[in-house]
Amino acid sequence: MTLKRVVVTGLGALTPIGNSVQEYWDGLVAGKSGADFITRFDAAKFKTKFACEVKNFDPASVIDKKEVRRMDAFLHYAIAAVEEAVQDAKISREIVDYRRVGVLWASGIGGIKTFEEEVTNFVKGDGTPRFNPFFIPKMISDIAAGMISIRYGFMGPNFAIVSACASSTHALITALDIIRLGRADMVVAGGSEAAVTAPGIGGFNAMKALSERNDSPQTASRPFDLDRDGFVLGEGAGAIILEEYEHAVKRGAKIYAELAGGGMTADAYHMTAPHPEGLGVTLVMHEALKDAKMNTGDIDYVNVHGTSTPIGDPQEVLAIQNVFGEHAYNLNISSTKSMTGHLLGAAGAIEAIASILALQYGIVPPTINHFTDDPAFDPKLNLTFNKAQTREMNAVLSNTFGFGGHNASVIFKKLG
């Protein structure tokens, strides 16, 4: 059978550097850091006292006040991003069959704050099991997909995807396949995360995964820098409206780019550490190129997973060199996590948005906070340090990897 083409017709973002797609993009181009000291809870006794929080966001601006209390923050973020994307795509019942619109929403953790509050209240009580009746619905990761469909009436394929930090990229690839096969005309795909909590920071601290650069939060996320010491936890959401090409053309939709293909692999190596030779990561980029029917020379920019960890960054760059060979020196490579921090299950979605906008505007967002070269990286590679760079682009690739060895890559290209 002939697979249908899939395009991007709407975007929505709520991030640590901007509460809309335009604010987010402006922050990326300006090299803005979203890191600062934590306000969500008292982090004085924690090894890491900072994070990339969403700022100046009132969930009541998009959700009824009574409903706000019945939702965890990860769902607040999801609805805000989806509302922007739906408005951007100009979706209405008059022109779209809502029975053919799906929702694939991702979260690596889901309602961790809700879980913390309910268990804490129980432990501090007299042992009587008094739990909020919304405890379970607020906590479970799939509730975002369900509530988005209820809010808009979207009746197509609807479920959640959980694969740690690869979650929302897996959502995009799964949505791509659903539309290709004709199971839906349109899918709302993306992810949200609200893990800047005591368990979130404390848990990652215990793993020694987070930066502890408390004297300079804004410069703590420094991918590829010699003195990188871990990632910075972020929060927020990204939503992407994917649509069958002919369907989009027929209704006169604005088309940002084509989602040309995606790859999915496993390291099959370790619970949290990447494969030392980058085998799974190498394979996933090959799979994405194969799925997109593209050659390595077709790619202009790679938005890397690039978390700012001592081990992960070199192995990803090694994999890029293994895949692209000499063409690696023609690529722009950058990590937008240097600005947003790591949004865990939402990372793939907001980084896909960054990749789509880079393609549209011909601007590569920078890897900020580079101070000292690391000899582990070939100096001839263009890691787009500190300042955005302009270049003509036809295709971009975005990587995300998750604990458990989950790897996912997507390729967006200009419509041709």
Side-chain angles (χ1 to χ4, degrees):
M1 64 179 293
T2 302
L3 297 177
K4 298 177 183 293
R5 296 171 67 187
V6 179
V7 294
V8 176
T9 56
L11 300 174
L14 180 67
T15 78
I17 61 171
N19 293 0
S20 68
V21 169
Q22 190 61 56
E23 288 181 4
Y24 171 48
W25 177 245
D26 290 345
L28 289 175
V29 174
K32 179 180 178 181
S33 172
D36 209 335
F37 292 106
I38 291 169
T39 65
R40 298 278 183 267
F41 64 96
D42 183 0
K45 295 183 179 180
F46 286 72
K47 292 179 181 177
T48 296
K49 308 179 194 310
F50 58 91
C52 288
E53 296 178 336
V54 167
K55 303 163 186 68
N56 304 315
F57 169 66
D58 179 7
S61 64
V62 289
I63 306 167
D64 180 79
K65 288 184 178 180
K66 184 170 67 176
E67 293 298 314
V68 166
R69 298 193 298 271
R70 298 175 177 177
M71 300 175 182
D72 187 88
F74 94 100
L75 181 50
H76 297 159
Y77 297 166
I79 290 174
V82 170
E83 178 65 20
E84 182 182 16
V86 167
Q87 294 296 327
D88 186 38
K90 295 180 171 58
I91 301 170
S92 70
R93 288 183 183 275
E94 290 73 30
I95 57 173
V96 174
D97 182 353
Y98 279 21
R99 297 170 299 178
R100 301 274 301 164
V101 181
V103 181
L104 270 64
W105 200 261
S107 183
I109 298 177
I112 188 171
K113 182 62 176 177
T114 294
F115 187 86
E116 175 196 1
E117 289 173 346
E118 292 295 320
V119 172
T120 298
N121 289 339
F122 175 69
V123 171
K124 287 182 176 179
D126 61 5
T128 303
R130 297 186 182 93
F131 288 90
N132 188 313
F134 292 98
F135 172 30
I136 300 301
K138 286 173 68 174
M139 178 192 70
I140 52 179
S141 296
D142 68 292
I143 201 66
M147 292 302 292
I148 291 165
S149 72
I150 291 168
R151 179 181 175 95
Y152 296 98
F154 299 149
M155 298 180 70
N158 185 283
F159 54 96
I161 292 179
V162 179
S163 52
C165 306
S167 298
S168 51
T169 303
H170 276 132
L172 292 172
I173 297 169
T174 306
L176 168 67
D177 288 340
I178 284 173
I179 298 172
R180 276 174 165 175
L181 294 172
R183 295 181 182 273
D185 298 325
M186 181 184 295
V187 175
V188 180
S192 58
E193 207 77 81
V196 182
T197 62
I201 295 292
F204 283 117
N205 267 158
M207 295 177 64
K208 301 187 184 304
L210 295 181
S211 170
E212 298 178 14
R213 201 177 299 278
N214 294 301
D215 60 334
S216 183
Q218 288 78 17
T219 67
S221 183
R222 47 180 73 185
F224 316 127
D225 189 86
L226 179 65
D227 298 318
R228 65 191 180 279
D229 70 329
F231 72 82
V232 178
L233 189 60
E235 61 175 4
I240 298 176
I241 308 296
L242 296 176
E243 188 169 353
E244 193 272 321
Y245 171 68
E246 297 291 346
H247 186 272
V249 171
K250 185 177 179 180
R251 72 180 188 89
K254 171 181 60 180
I255 296 175
Y256 285 94
E258 180 173 356
L259 177 48
M264 300 178 285
T265 66
D267 279 354
Y269 173 71
H270 188 272
M271 182 185 294
T272 57
H275 192 286
E277 297 174 14
L279 296 185
V281 175
T282 298
L283 180 60
V284 80
M285 287 186 278
H286 277 306
E287 288 295 314
L289 288 162
K290 179 181 176 182
D291 187 51
K293 296 180 172 57
M294 296 173 73
N295 299 313
T296 54
D298 296 325
I299 304 298
D300 301 295
Y301 165 47
V302 178
N303 185 301
V304 293
H305 187 58
T307 57
S308 183
T309 58
I311 297 175
D313 290 4
Q315 287 165 359
E316 183 175 8
V317 171
L318 173 64
I320 289 171
Q321 291 180 284
N322 288 340
V323 171
F324 288 93
E326 285 298 310
H327 183 61
Y329 299 115
N330 300 322
L331 296 169
N332 269 88
I333 299 167
S334 77
S335 171
T336 47
K337 287 186 179 73
S338 60
M339 294 172 276
T340 66
H342 191 352
L343 270 67
L344 307 180
I350 68 161
E351 288 158 20
I353 292 170
S355 301
I356 292 163
L357 295 176
L359 189 64
Q360 183 182 40
Y361 292 113
I363 301 174
V364 179
T367 305
I368 67 167
N369 297 329
H370 181 72
F371 303 99
T372 307
D373 290 341
D374 184 341
F377 302 104
D378 188 333
K380 292 186 292 182
L381 293 171
N382 185 357
L383 299 176
T384 322
F385 286 136
N386 296 328
K387 290 185 178 181
Q389 296 177 13
T390 59
R391 68 174 288 171
E392 183 66 25
M393 287 177 273
N394 293 305
V396 298
L397 182 148
S398 183
N399 284 332
T400 45
F401 318 130
F403 286 167
H406 313 297
N407 307 310
S409 296
V410 286
I411 295 175
F412 295 95
K413 70 178 184 180
K414 286 185 174 177
L415 196 63

